[in-house]
Amino acid sequence: MDMMNQGERGEYAPNVQVVYRELRNNAPLTQRDLIENTNLPFRVVRDALKELKQDGSVQELVYSHGHLRLYLFTEHATESPEQQSSAA
């Protein structure tokens, strides 16, 4: 199953849902903030962010020549994945 279909239907893995909810409630956050707030390992957070970026739910802002990355929602991602799938 490709990433776009997962985002459209809200079929995120549990770890991706944790990262999504943390960003929804507290964005903008850095990857370090997400690791500390969710207690998930670096690789899990990194992969979750990659998936959320690919489906357009999360935007990455890069500052200081790539040393600081902030993650926030795009304009169309104001609803949870579950709400987006039920509206479609």
Coordinates of all heavy atoms in Angstrom, one line a residue:
M1 N 0.9 -1.2 0.0 CA 0.0 0.0 0.0 C 0.9 1.2 0.0 O 1.8 1.3 0.8 CB -0.9 0.0 1.2 CG -1.7 1.1 1.4 SD -2.8 1.1 2.9 CE -3.5 -0.5 2.8
D2 N 0.6 2.2 -0.9 CA 1.5 3.4 -0.9 C 1.1 4.4 0.1 O 0.0 4.3 0.7 CB 1.5 4.0 -2.3 CG 0.1 4.5 -2.7 OD1 -0.4 5.4 -2.0 OD2 -0.4 4.1 -3.8
M3 N 2.0 5.3 0.3 CA 1.8 6.3 1.4 C 0.6 7.2 1.2 O -0.1 7.5 2.2 CB 3.0 7.2 1.6 CG 4.3 6.4 1.9 SD 4.2 5.6 3.4 CE 5.7 4.8 3.4
M4 N 0.3 7.6 0.0 CA -0.8 8.5 -0.2 C -2.1 7.8 0.2 O -3.0 8.4 0.8 CB -0.9 8.9 -1.7 CG 0.2 9.9 -2.1 SD 0.2 11.4 -1.1 CE -1.2 12.2 -1.9
N5 N -2.3 6.5 -0.1 CA -3.5 5.8 0.2 C -3.6 5.7 1.8 O -4.7 5.8 2.3 CB -3.6 4.4 -0.4 CG -3.9 4.5 -1.9 OD1 -4.4 5.5 -2.4 ND2 -3.5 3.5 -2.6
Q6 N -2.5 5.5 2.4 CA -2.6 5.4 3.9 C -3.1 6.7 4.5 O -3.9 6.7 5.4 CB -1.2 5.1 4.5 CG -0.8 3.7 4.4 CD 0.5 3.5 5.0 OE1 1.5 4.2 4.8 NE2 0.6 2.4 5.8
G7 N -2.6 7.9 4.0 CA -3.0 9.2 4.5 C -4.4 9.5 4.2 O -5.1 10.0 5.1
E8 N -4.9 9.1 3.0 CA -6.3 9.4 2.7 C -7.2 8.6 3.5 O -8.3 9.1 3.8 CB -6.5 9.1 1.2 CG -5.7 10.1 0.3 CD -5.8 9.6 -1.2 OE1 -6.4 8.6 -1.5 OE2 -5.1 10.3 -2.0
R9 N -6.9 7.4 3.9 CA -7.8 6.5 4.6 C -7.5 6.6 6.1 O -8.3 5.9 6.9 CB -7.8 5.1 4.1 CG -8.4 5.0 2.7 CD -8.4 3.6 2.3 NE -7.1 3.1 2.1 CZ -6.7 2.3 1.1 NH1 -7.6 1.9 0.3 NH2 -5.5 1.9 1.0
G10 N -6.5 7.3 6.5 CA -6.2 7.3 8.0 C -5.7 6.0 8.5 O -5.8 5.8 9.7
E11 N -5.0 5.2 7.7 CA -4.5 3.9 8.2 C -3.1 4.0 8.6 O -2.2 3.3 8.1 CB -4.7 2.9 7.1 CG -6.2 2.6 6.8 CD -6.4 1.7 5.6 OE1 -5.4 1.3 5.0 OE2 -7.6 1.4 5.4
Y12 N -2.8 4.9 9.4 CA -1.4 5.1 9.9 C -1.1 4.0 10.9 O -1.9 3.5 11.7 CB -1.2 6.4 10.6 CG -1.2 7.6 9.7 CD1 -2.2 8.6 9.8 CD2 -0.2 7.8 8.7 CE1 -2.2 9.7 9.0 CE2 -0.3 8.9 7.9 CZ -1.2 9.8 8.1 OH -1.3 10.9 7.3
A13 N 0.2 3.6 11.0 CA 0.7 2.7 12.0 C 0.5 3.4 13.4 O 0.5 4.6 13.4 CB 2.1 2.3 11.8
P14 N 0.4 2.7 14.5 CA 0.3 3.3 15.8 C 1.4 4.3 16.1 O 1.0 5.4 16.7 CB 0.3 2.1 16.8 CG -0.2 1.0 16.0 CD 0.3 1.2 14.6
N15 N 2.6 4.1 15.8 CA 3.7 5.0 16.1 C 3.5 6.3 15.3 O 3.8 7.4 15.8 CB 5.0 4.4 15.8 CG 5.4 3.3 16.8 OD1 5.0 3.3 17.9 ND2 6.3 2.4 16.3
V16 N 3.0 6.2 14.0 CA 2.8 7.4 13.2 C 1.6 8.2 13.8 O 1.7 9.4 13.9 CB 2.5 7.0 11.8 CG1 2.2 8.2 10.9 CG2 3.7 6.2 11.2
Q17 N 0.6 7.5 14.3 CA -0.5 8.2 14.9 C 0.0 9.0 16.2 O -0.5 10.1 16.4 CB -1.6 7.2 15.3 CG -2.3 6.6 14.1 CD -3.4 5.6 14.5 OE1 -3.8 5.5 15.7 NE2 -3.8 4.9 13.5
V18 N 0.9 8.4 17.0 CA 1.4 9.1 18.2 C 2.1 10.4 17.7 O 1.9 11.4 18.3 CB 2.4 8.1 19.0 CG1 3.1 8.9 20.0 CG2 1.6 7.0 19.6
V19 N 3.0 10.3 16.7 CA 3.7 11.5 16.2 C 2.7 12.5 15.7 O 2.8 13.7 16.0 CB 4.8 11.1 15.2 CG1 5.4 12.3 14.5 CG2 5.8 10.2 15.9
Y20 N 1.7 12.0 14.9 CA 0.7 12.9 14.4 C 0.0 13.7 15.5 O -0.2 14.9 15.4 CB -0.3 12.1 13.5 CG -1.3 12.9 12.9 CD1 -1.2 13.4 11.6 CD2 -2.5 13.3 13.6 CE1 -2.1 14.1 10.9 CE2 -3.4 14.1 12.9 CZ -3.3 14.5 11.6 OH -4.2 15.3 11.0
R21 N -0.5 13.0 16.5 CA -1.2 13.6 17.6 C -0.3 14.6 18.3 O -0.8 15.7 18.7 CB -1.8 12.6 18.6 CG -3.0 11.9 18.1 CD -3.7 11.1 19.1 NE -2.9 10.0 19.6 CZ -3.0 8.8 19.0 NH1 -3.9 8.5 18.1 NH2 -2.2 7.8 19.5
E22 N 0.9 14.3 18.6 CA 1.8 15.2 19.3 C 2.0 16.5 18.5 O 2.0 17.6 19.0 CB 3.2 14.5 19.5 CG 4.1 15.3 20.3 CD 3.6 15.6 21.8 OE1 2.9 14.8 22.3 OE2 4.1 16.7 22.3
L23 N 2.2 16.3 17.2 CA 2.3 17.5 16.3 C 1.0 18.3 16.3 O 1.0 19.5 16.3 CB 2.7 17.1 14.9 CG 4.2 16.9 14.7 CD1 4.5 16.3 13.3 CD2 5.0 18.2 14.9
R24 N -0.1 17.6 16.2 CA -1.4 18.3 16.1 C -1.6 19.1 17.4 O -2.1 20.2 17.3 CB -2.5 17.3 16.0 CG -3.9 17.9 15.9 CD -5.0 16.9 15.8 NE -5.0 16.2 17.1 CZ -5.5 15.0 17.3 NH1 -5.9 14.3 16.3 NH2 -5.5 14.5 18.5
N25 N -1.2 18.6 18.5 CA -1.4 19.3 19.8 C -0.4 20.4 20.1 O -0.6 21.3 20.9 CB -1.5 18.3 20.9 CG -2.7 17.4 20.8 OD1 -3.7 17.8 20.2 ND2 -2.6 16.2 21.2
N26 N 0.9 20.2 19.6 CA 2.0 21.0 20.1 C 2.9 21.6 19.0 O 3.9 22.1 19.3 CB 2.8 20.2 21.0 CG 2.1 19.8 22.2 OD1 1.4 20.5 22.9 ND2 2.1 18.5 22.5
A27 N 2.5 21.5 17.7 CA 3.4 22.0 16.7 C 3.5 23.5 16.8 O 2.7 24.2 17.3 CB 2.8 21.7 15.3
P28 N 4.7 24.1 16.3 CA 5.8 23.4 15.7 C 6.7 22.7 16.7 O 6.9 23.2 17.8 CB 6.5 24.5 14.9 CG 6.2 25.7 15.7 CD 4.8 25.5 16.3
L29 N 7.3 21.6 16.3 CA 8.2 20.9 17.1 C 9.4 20.4 16.3 O 9.3 20.2 15.1 CB 7.6 19.6 17.7 CG 6.4 19.8 18.7 CD1 5.7 18.5 18.9 CD2 6.9 20.4 20.0
T30 N 10.5 20.2 17.0 CA 11.7 19.7 16.3 C 11.6 18.1 16.5 O 10.8 17.6 17.3 CB 13.0 20.1 17.0 OG1 13.1 19.7 18.3 CG2 13.1 21.6 16.9
Q31 N 12.5 17.4 15.7 CA 12.5 16.0 15.9 C 12.9 15.6 17.3 O 12.4 14.7 17.9 CB 13.5 15.4 14.8 CG 13.4 13.9 14.8 CD 14.2 13.4 13.6 OE1 14.8 14.1 12.9 NE2 14.1 12.1 13.4
R32 N 13.8 16.3 17.9 CA 14.2 16.1 19.2 C 13.1 16.2 20.2 O 12.9 15.4 21.1 CB 15.4 17.0 19.7 CG 15.9 16.7 21.1 CD 17.0 17.6 21.4 NE 18.1 17.2 20.6 CZ 19.4 17.3 20.8 NH1 19.8 17.8 22.0 NH2 20.3 16.8 20.0
D33 N 12.3 17.3 20.0 CA 11.1 17.5 20.8 C 10.1 16.3 20.7 O 9.6 15.8 21.7 CB 10.3 18.8 20.4 CG 11.1 20.0 20.6 OD1 11.9 20.1 21.5 OD2 10.8 21.0 19.9
L34 N 9.9 15.8 19.5 CA 9.0 14.7 19.3 C 9.6 13.4 20.0 O 8.8 12.7 20.6 CB 8.9 14.4 17.8 CG 8.0 15.4 17.1 CD1 8.1 15.3 15.6 CD2 6.5 15.2 17.5
I35 N 10.9 13.2 19.9 CA 11.5 12.0 20.6 C 11.2 12.1 22.1 O 10.8 11.2 22.7 CB 13.0 11.9 20.2 CG1 13.1 11.6 18.8 CG2 13.7 10.9 21.1 CD1 14.5 11.7 18.2
E36 N 11.5 13.3 22.7 CA 11.4 13.5 24.1 C 9.9 13.4 24.5 O 9.6 12.8 25.6 CB 11.9 14.8 24.5 CG 13.4 14.9 24.4 CD 14.0 16.3 24.7 OE1 13.3 17.2 25.0 OE2 15.3 16.4 24.6
N37 N 9.0 14.0 23.8 CA 7.6 14.0 24.2 C 6.9 12.7 24.0 O 5.9 12.4 24.7 CB 6.8 15.1 23.4 CG 7.3 16.5 23.7 OD1 8.1 16.7 24.6 ND2 6.8 17.5 22.9
T38 N 7.3 11.9 23.0 CA 6.6 10.6 22.7 C 7.3 9.4 23.3 O 6.8 8.3 23.3 CB 6.5 10.4 21.2 OG1 7.8 10.3 20.6 CG2 5.7 11.5 20.6
N39 N 8.6 9.6 23.7 CA 9.4 8.5 24.2 C 9.6 7.4 23.1 O 9.8 6.3 23.5 CB 8.8 7.9 25.5 CG 8.9 8.8 26.6 OD1 9.9 9.5 26.8 ND2 7.8 8.9 27.4
L40 N 9.5 7.8 21.9 CA 9.8 6.9 20.8 C 11.3 7.0 20.3 O 11.8 8.1 20.5 CB 8.9 7.2 19.6 CG 7.4 7.0 19.8 CD1 6.6 7.5 18.6 CD2 7.1 5.5 20.0
P41 N 11.8 5.9 19.8 CA 13.2 6.0 19.3 C 13.4 6.9 18.1 O 12.4 7.2 17.4 CB 13.5 4.6 19.0 CG 12.5 3.7 19.5 CD 11.3 4.6 19.7
F42 N 14.6 7.4 17.9 CA 14.9 8.3 16.8 C 14.4 7.8 15.5 O 13.7 8.5 14.7 CB 16.4 8.5 16.8 CG 16.9 9.1 15.5 CD1 16.8 10.5 15.3 CD2 17.4 8.4 14.5 CE1 17.2 11.1 14.1 CE2 17.8 8.9 13.3 CZ 17.7 10.3 13.1
R43 N 14.7 6.5 15.2 CA 14.3 6.0 13.9 C 12.8 5.9 13.7 O 12.3 6.1 12.6 CB 14.9 4.6 13.7 CG 16.4 4.6 13.5 CD 16.9 3.2 13.3 NE 18.4 3.3 13.1 CZ 19.2 2.2 13.0 NH1 18.6 1.0 13.1 NH2 20.4 2.4 12.8
V44 N 12.1 5.6 14.7 CA 10.6 5.5 14.6 C 10.1 6.9 14.3 O 9.2 7.1 13.5 CB 10.0 4.9 15.9 CG1 8.5 5.0 15.9 CG2 10.5 3.5 16.1
V45 N 10.6 7.9 15.0 CA 10.1 9.3 14.8 C 10.5 9.7 13.4 O 9.7 10.3 12.7 CB 10.6 10.3 15.9 CG1 10.3 11.7 15.5 CG2 10.1 9.9 17.2
R46 N 11.7 9.5 13.0 CA 12.2 9.8 11.7 C 11.3 9.2 10.6 O 10.8 9.9 9.7 CB 13.6 9.4 11.5 CG 14.2 9.7 10.1 CD 15.4 9.0 9.8 NE 15.1 7.6 9.8 CZ 16.1 6.6 9.9 NH1 17.3 6.9 10.1 NH2 15.7 5.4 9.9
D47 N 11.0 7.9 10.7 CA 10.2 7.3 9.7 C 8.7 7.8 9.7 O 8.1 7.9 8.7 CB 10.2 5.7 9.9 CG 11.6 5.1 9.7 OD1 12.4 5.8 9.0 OD2 11.8 4.0 10.1
A48 N 8.2 8.1 10.9 CA 6.8 8.6 11.0 C 6.8 10.0 10.3 O 5.8 10.2 9.6 CB 6.4 8.7 12.5
L49 N 7.8 10.8 10.6 CA 7.8 12.1 9.9 C 7.9 12.0 8.4 O 7.2 12.7 7.7 CB 8.9 13.0 10.5 CG 8.8 13.5 11.9 CD1 10.1 14.1 12.4 CD2 7.6 14.5 12.0
K50 N 8.7 11.1 7.9 CA 8.8 10.8 6.5 C 7.4 10.5 5.9 O 7.0 11.0 4.9 CB 9.8 9.7 6.2 CG 10.0 9.4 4.8 CD 11.0 8.3 4.6 CE 11.2 8.0 3.1 NZ 12.1 6.9 2.9
E51 N 6.7 9.6 6.6 CA 5.4 9.2 6.1 C 4.4 10.3 6.1 O 3.7 10.5 5.1 CB 4.9 8.0 6.9 CG 3.6 7.4 6.4 CD 3.2 6.1 7.1 OE1 4.1 5.4 7.7 OE2 2.0 5.9 7.2
L52 N 4.4 11.1 7.2 CA 3.5 12.2 7.3 C 3.8 13.3 6.2 O 2.9 14.0 5.7 CB 3.5 12.8 8.7 CG 2.9 11.9 9.7 CD1 3.2 12.4 11.1 CD2 1.4 11.8 9.5
K53 N 5.1 13.5 6.0 CA 5.5 14.5 5.0 C 5.1 14.0 3.6 O 4.7 14.8 2.8 CB 7.0 14.7 5.0 CG 7.5 15.6 6.2 CD 8.9 16.0 6.1 CE 9.9 14.8 5.7 NZ 11.3 15.2 5.8
Q54 N 5.3 12.7 3.3 CA 4.9 12.2 2.0 C 3.4 12.3 1.6 O 3.1 12.6 0.5 CB 5.4 10.8 1.8 CG 6.9 10.6 1.7 CD 7.3 9.2 1.5 OE1 6.6 8.3 2.0 NE2 8.5 9.0 1.0
D55 N 2.6 12.2 2.6 CA 1.2 12.3 2.3 C 0.6 13.7 2.5 O -0.5 14.0 2.3 CB 0.3 11.3 3.1 CG 0.1 11.7 4.6 OD1 0.5 12.8 5.0 OD2 -0.4 10.9 5.3
G56 N 1.5 14.7 2.8 CA 1.2 16.1 2.9 C 0.6 16.6 4.2 O 0.1 17.7 4.3
S57 N 0.6 15.7 5.2 CA 0.1 16.1 6.5 C 1.0 17.0 7.3 O 0.5 17.8 8.2 CB -0.2 14.9 7.4 OG -1.2 14.1 6.8
V58 N 2.3 16.9 7.0 CA 3.3 17.7 7.8 C 4.2 18.4 6.9 O 4.6 17.9 5.8 CB 4.1 16.7 8.7 CG1 5.3 17.4 9.4 CG2 3.2 16.1 9.8
Q59 N 4.6 19.6 7.2 CA 5.5 20.4 6.5 C 6.8 20.5 7.3 O 6.8 20.6 8.5 CB 5.0 21.8 6.2 CG 5.9 22.7 5.4 CD 5.3 24.0 5.2 OE1 4.2 24.3 5.8 NE2 5.9 24.9 4.5
E60 N 8.0 20.4 6.7 CA 9.2 20.5 7.3 C 9.9 21.9 7.0 O 10.0 22.2 5.8 CB 10.2 19.4 6.9 CG 11.5 19.4 7.5 CD 12.4 18.3 6.9 OE1 12.5 18.2 5.7 OE2 12.9 17.6 7.7
L61 N 10.2 22.7 8.0 CA 10.9 23.9 7.8 C 12.4 23.8 8.2 O 12.6 23.3 9.3 CB 10.2 25.1 8.6 CG 8.8 25.3 8.2 CD1 8.2 26.4 9.2 CD2 8.6 25.8 6.8
V62 N 13.3 24.1 7.3 CA 14.7 23.9 7.6 C 15.4 25.3 7.9 O 15.2 26.2 7.1 CB 15.4 23.2 6.5 CG1 16.9 23.0 6.8 CG2 14.7 21.9 6.2
Y63 N 16.0 25.4 9.0 CA 16.7 26.7 9.4 C 18.2 26.4 9.7 O 18.6 25.2 9.9 CB 16.1 27.2 10.7 CG 14.7 27.7 10.5 CD1 13.6 26.8 11.0 CD2 14.4 28.9 10.0 CE1 12.3 27.2 10.8 CE2 13.0 29.3 9.9 CZ 12.0 28.5 10.3 OH 10.7 28.9 10.2
S64 N 19.0 27.4 9.7 CA 20.4 27.3 10.1 C 21.2 26.3 9.3 O 21.8 25.4 9.8 CB 20.6 27.0 11.6 OG 19.9 28.0 12.3
H65 N 21.0 26.4 8.0 CA 21.7 25.5 7.0 C 21.5 24.0 7.3 O 22.4 23.2 7.3 CB 23.2 25.8 7.0 CG 23.5 27.2 6.7 ND1 23.3 27.7 5.4 CD2 23.9 28.3 7.4 CE1 23.6 29.0 5.4 NE2 24.0 29.4 6.6
G66 N 20.3 23.6 7.7 CA 19.9 22.3 7.9 C 20.1 21.7 9.3 O 19.9 20.6 9.6
H67 N 20.6 22.6 10.2 CA 20.8 22.2 11.6 C 19.6 22.2 12.5 O 19.5 21.5 13.5 CB 21.9 23.0 12.2 CG 23.2 22.8 11.6 ND1 24.0 21.7 11.7 CD2 24.0 23.7 10.8 CE1 25.1 21.8 11.1 NE2 25.1 23.0 10.5
L68 N 18.6 22.9 12.1 CA 17.3 22.9 12.8 C 16.2 22.7 11.9 O 16.0 23.4 10.9 CB 17.1 24.3 13.5 CG 15.8 24.5 14.3 CD1 15.7 23.5 15.4 CD2 15.7 25.9 14.8
R69 N 15.4 21.7 12.2 CA 14.2 21.4 11.4 C 13.0 21.5 12.3 O 12.9 20.8 13.3 CB 14.3 20.0 10.7 CG 15.5 20.0 9.7 CD 15.7 18.5 9.3 NE 16.9 18.5 8.5 CZ 17.0 18.5 7.2 NH1 15.9 18.5 6.5 NH2 18.1 18.4 6.6
L70 N 12.0 22.3 11.9 CA 10.7 22.3 12.6 C 9.6 21.6 11.7 O 9.6 21.8 10.5 CB 10.3 23.8 12.8 CG 11.1 24.6 13.8 CD1 10.6 26.0 13.9 CD2 11.0 23.9 15.2
Y71 N 8.8 20.9 12.4 CA 7.7 20.2 11.8 C 6.4 20.8 12.2 O 6.1 21.1 13.4 CB 7.7 18.7 12.1 CG 9.0 18.1 11.6 CD1 10.1 18.1 12.4 CD2 9.1 17.6 10.3 CE1 11.3 17.5 12.0 CE2 10.3 17.1 9.8 CZ 11.4 17.0 10.7 OH 12.6 16.5 10.2
L72 N 5.5 21.1 11.2 CA 4.2 21.6 11.5 C 3.2 21.1 10.4 O 3.6 20.5 9.5 CB 4.2 23.2 11.5 CG 4.7 23.8 10.2 CD1 3.8 25.1 9.9 CD2 6.1 24.3 10.4
F73 N 1.9 21.4 10.7 CA 0.9 20.9 9.8 C 0.8 21.8 8.6 O 0.9 23.0 8.7 CB -0.4 20.8 10.5 CG -0.5 19.6 11.4 CD1 -0.5 19.9 12.8 CD2 -0.5 18.3 11.0 CE1 -0.5 18.8 13.7 CE2 -0.5 17.3 11.8 CZ -0.5 17.5 13.2
T74 N 0.4 21.2 7.4 CA 0.1 22.0 6.3 C -1.4 22.4 6.5 O -2.1 22.0 7.3 CB 0.2 21.1 5.0 OG1 -0.6 20.0 5.1 CG2 1.6 20.7 4.7
E75 N -1.8 23.4 5.6 CA -3.2 24.0 5.8 C -4.3 22.9 5.7 O -5.2 23.0 6.5 CB -3.4 25.0 4.8 CG -2.6 26.3 5.0 CD -2.9 27.4 4.0 OE1 -4.0 27.3 3.4 OE2 -2.1 28.2 3.8
H76 N -4.2 21.9 4.9 CA -5.3 21.0 4.7 C -5.3 19.9 5.8 O -6.2 19.1 5.9 CB -5.2 20.3 3.3 CG -4.2 19.3 3.2 ND1 -2.9 19.5 2.9 CD2 -4.3 17.9 3.3 CE1 -2.2 18.4 2.9 NE2 -3.1 17.4 3.1
A77 N -4.3 19.9 6.7 CA -4.2 18.8 7.7 C -4.6 19.3 9.0 O -4.0 19.0 10.0 CB -2.7 18.4 7.7
T78 N -5.8 20.0 9.1 CA -6.3 20.4 10.4 C -7.1 19.4 11.1 O -7.4 19.5 12.2 CB -7.1 21.7 10.2 OG1 -8.2 21.4 9.3 CG2 -6.2 22.9 9.7
E79 N -7.5 18.3 10.4 CA -8.3 17.2 11.0 C -7.4 16.0 11.2 O -6.4 15.9 10.5 CB -9.4 16.9 10.0 CG -10.4 18.0 9.8 CD -11.4 17.6 8.7 OE1 -11.1 16.7 7.9 OE2 -12.6 18.1 8.8
S80 N -7.8 15.2 12.0 CA -7.0 13.9 12.2 C -7.2 13.0 11.0 O -8.1 13.2 10.2 CB -7.5 13.2 13.5 OG -8.8 12.6 13.2
P81 N -6.3 12.1 10.8 CA -6.4 11.2 9.7 C -7.8 10.4 9.7 O -8.3 10.2 8.7 CB -5.3 10.2 9.9 CG -4.3 10.9 10.7 CD -5.1 11.8 11.6
E82 N -8.3 10.1 10.9 CA -9.5 9.4 11.0 C -10.7 10.3 10.5 O -11.6 9.9 9.8 CB -9.8 9.0 12.4 CG -8.8 7.9 12.9 CD -7.5 8.5 13.4 OE1 -7.4 9.8 13.6 OE2 -6.6 7.7 13.5
Q83 N -10.7 11.6 10.8 CA -11.7 12.5 10.4 C -11.6 12.8 8.9 O -12.6 12.9 8.2 CB -11.6 13.9 11.1 CG -11.9 13.8 12.6 CD -11.5 15.1 13.4 OE1 -10.6 15.8 13.0 NE2 -12.3 15.3 14.4
Q84 N -10.4 12.9 8.4 CA -10.2 13.1 6.9 C -10.8 11.9 6.2 O -11.5 12.1 5.1 CB -8.7 13.3 6.6 CG -8.2 14.6 7.1 CD -6.7 14.7 6.8 OE1 -6.1 13.8 6.2 NE2 -6.1 15.8 7.2
S85 N -10.6 10.7 6.6 CA -11.1 9.5 5.9 C -12.6 9.4 6.0 O -13.2 9.0 5.0 CB -10.5 8.2 6.4 OG -10.8 8.0 7.7
S86 N -13.2 9.8 7.1 CA -14.7 9.7 7.2 C -15.3 10.8 6.3 O -16.5 10.7 5.9 CB -15.1 9.9 8.6 OG -14.8 11.1 9.2
A87 N -14.6 11.9 6.1 CA -15.2 13.0 5.3 C -15.2 12.7 3.8 O -15.9 13.3 3.0 CB -14.5 14.3 5.6
A88 N -14.2 11.8 3.4 CA -14.1 11.5 2.0 C -15.1 10.6 1.5 O -15.8 10.0 2.1 CB -12.7 10.9 1.8

